[in-house]
Amino acid sequence: MGLGGCIILIAAGAILTFATDWDMEGVNLDLVGIILMIVGLIGVTTFSSIARRRRVVVPPTTPVIDEEGHHRRHDGYSDGYGA
């Protein structure tokens, strides 16, 4: 689940908790909304910690130039293994 899904869970939970007056028999919508908000917050923190680890910058490496084998053919015959 991405960051957008987590934000949608938080918004849906807040709507169920704070903006509705529905009474359903056997279901506490306030509790469902709080659970959705908690799951969304856990998702946001997990997503942000994973995204922070992905942003590690690796310095560029020095290119290795093979001057000797630059124009060598690799068709199986010119390297001594072909028939």
Side-chain angles (χ1 to χ4, degrees), residues 3-79:
L3 186 62
C6 296
I7 292 173
I8 289 172
L9 282 178
I10 294 171
I15 289 170
L16 284 176
T17 303
F18 303 117
T20 58
D21 290 339
W22 298 335
D23 290 327
M24 293 180 65
E25 188 175 327
V27 177
N28 186 353
L29 290 179
D30 291 337
L31 182 62
V32 171
I34 289 171
I35 291 172
L36 287 175
M37 287 190 287
I38 290 172
V39 170
L41 288 174
I42 290 171
V44 166
T45 56
T46 304
F47 182 80
S48 64
S49 68
I50 290 172
R52 188 176 307 129
R53 271 190 253 146
R54 282 191 206 158
R55 292 185 189 149
V56 175
V57 177
V58 178
T61 60
T62 307
V64 177
I65 301 173
D66 184 17
E67 294 177 7
E68 204 174 282
H70 185 64
H71 296 289
R72 188 181 312 164
R73 289 178 43 191
H74 295 288
D75 58 2
Y77 294 104
S78 61
D79 55 1

